[in-house]
Amino acid sequence: MEQLPFRQVLETAEKIRTMEVRGAGHIARAAAGALRDYALVLETKSLDEFNFEMKRAAEILLNTRPTAVSLSNATWMVMRYKADDLEDARKSIVSNANRFIEDSQRAVEIIGEIGSHRINDGDMVLTHCNSMAAISVISAAFRTGKDIQVIATESRPRNQGILTIGLLEELGVPTTFIVDSAVRSFMNDVDLVVVGADVVTANGSVVNKIGTAQIALIAHEARTSFMVAAETYKFSPKTILGEPVIIEERSPEEILPNVSRYKNIRVRNPAFDVTPYQYIDLICTEVGAISPVMSYLIIKEKLGWELGK
Ligand code: RUB
């Protein structure tokens, strides 16, 4: 039987795996918080043993969902410590984790402020899935008194759109809820699409909830602006070396219950897709709104990763 503190790491991992905790920002903060809480109570005989235990916990959290780079960036930021003794190591992890959690929450607010300038009075904004960064943009525009409306998609198969309309309802933003396949029917009424991101690659392409790429294509056809709201820890350092982003494929049962009844049917359920940078007008980060082709700069200047390092 695992010790209680380690069980708590396993519990957080399970919540992420089963999507009780979901969305790239929430996942990252939950992992950082779990590492901090584990570090706070972990009793070991030596620094080496402490380091080993912390790495084991980090690995477990990292293996929960494969796509969101926020998870590996958060883990990397928390685990980036050098310590001469155990108490030093403990303190560093706690302060790294607290800093990450605070900065990431603040980043979402700043993105809201910056992104809201792109929304005009009277605009119709379309959003997909449930992104805290995208909702922050919408709510900041609404708070400043802009008369805006939102179209929110259902976001099958997990229906994260219901979470989005719940938040928009609380904020009082007039919202229309549609099925994913109705996006083209409404695109001519839309002034701006705002979505979040699980990953931004070095060339500015964006991995986000399945269906995002189709929406971008439809927006492109209708000449509607397409904006991504993404904190800098959603940018993927490894993509500068051309490493592909793993697209999570979830259980067929999410789409087709009793799938085993069908002998000749194969169900595919990718959770995310890639929107090529050519379809993205702007990526709004906490350090400013950038053109997608500037993404490498974020990886280099903000995350500190460079070719050859
Ligand atoms: C969530 C999703 C969100 C991004 C950004 O997918 O695709 O758009 O994670 O969210 P899932 P946020 O529900 O499968 O985790 O801006 O909140 O980080």
Side-chain angles (χ1 to χ4, degrees):
M1 176 91 149
E2 298 288 357
Q3 295 300 304
L4 184 65
F6 194 68
R7 261 203 350 246
Q8 282 164 350
V9 171
L10 295 177
E11 272 167 27
T12 303
E14 192 54 17
K15 282 183 186 162
I16 298 174
R17 197 174 292 115
T18 56
M19 292 176 64
E20 188 181 329
V21 173
R22 49 143 300 282
H26 285 307
I27 291 172
R29 284 188 287 277
L35 289 171
R36 175 198 56 204
D37 296 347
Y38 189 43
L40 272 170
V41 291
L42 179 58
E43 293 297 341
T44 58
K45 292 192 184 71
S46 68
L47 177 60
D48 281 350
E49 197 190 329
F50 180 87
N51 292 341
F52 176 85
E53 275 299 317
M54 287 307 306
K55 272 196 196 125
R56 181 162 82 110
E59 281 301 319
I60 286 167
L61 292 161
L62 275 173
N63 285 325
T64 49
R65 291 194 74 186
T67 301
V69 73
S70 57
L71 189 56
S72 53
N73 278 340
T75 307
W76 170 66
M77 288 177 199
V78 173
M79 297 294 286
R80 205 171 32 170
Y81 64 91
K82 274 206 185 87
D84 295 330
D85 61 47
L86 209 152
E87 286 317 309
D88 242 18
R90 199 189 305 279
K91 264 195 221 142
S92 300
I93 289 178
V94 171
S95 100
N96 287 350
N98 284 337
R99 191 176 327 116
F100 176 80
I101 292 168
E102 276 165 34
D103 287 354
S104 72
Q105 275 160 341
R106 180 85 193 108
V108 174
E109 284 167 30
I110 298 171
I111 287 171
E113 279 163 36
I114 297 176
S116 69
H117 295 299
R118 307 285 169 152
I119 299 183
N120 296 313
D121 198 36
D123 274 358
M124 174 72 86
V125 181
L126 184 141
T127 190
H128 182 54
C129 194
N130 176 248
S131 155
M132 290 305 114
I135 290 172
S136 176
V137 172
I138 294 166
S139 88
F142 188 70
R143 262 201 325 269
T144 53
K146 288 178 187 163
D147 175 22
I148 60 168
Q149 292 188 52
V150 172
I151 294 179
T153 56
E154 190 180 22
S155 313
R156 285 267 297 146
R158 298 290 296 233
N159 303 322
Q160 287 92 334
I162 294 178
L163 298 172
T164 297
I165 60 167
L167 292 171
L168 295 171
E169 165 79 14
E170 263 173 46
L171 292 167
V173 182
T175 301
T176 305
F177 189 48
I178 62 169
V179 296
D180 303 316
S181 41
V183 167
R184 193 162 185 241
S185 303
F186 289 94
M187 191 53 87
N188 285 333
D189 303 334
V190 175
D191 299 289
L192 175 72
V193 177
V194 184
V195 295
D198 278 79
V199 184
V200 182
T201 70
N203 75 355
S205 296
V206 166
V207 180
N208 191 49
K209 181 53 54 199
I210 191 79
T212 305
Q214 265 174 213
I215 296 173
L217 201 59
I218 294 167
H220 187 72
E221 181 202 42
R223 302 175 73 87
T224 300
S225 297
F226 189 94
M227 174 163 101
V228 175
E231 306 89 298
T232 51
Y233 60 87
K234 310 265 180 76
F235 286 65
S236 169
K238 286 182 180 164
T239 58
I240 54 180
L241 301 171
E243 195 166 298
V245 175
I246 298 168
I247 303 289
E248 175 182 9
E249 183 129 2
R250 297 189 63 86
S251 157
E253 300 275 339
E254 286 188 349
I255 302 180
L256 189 65
N258 302 320
V259 64
S260 55
R261 253 198 293 160
Y262 299 85
K263 295 293 163 244
N264 301 307
I265 306 298
R266 182 180 178 208
V267 176
R268 298 290 309 271
N269 184 17
F272 302 99
D273 62 22
V274 184
T275 301
Y277 67 90
Q278 295 93 331
Y279 297 101
I280 300 166
D281 294 296
L282 192 75
I283 303 178
C284 189
T285 78
E286 74 276 19
V287 293
I290 59 163
S291 150
V293 293
M294 302 296 276
S295 295
Y296 172 66
L297 272 188
I298 299 280
I299 294 171
K300 182 170 177 271
E301 306 293 335
K302 183 76 177 126
L303 299 178
W305 288 62
E306 259 185 89
L307 279 173
K309 260 195 172 176

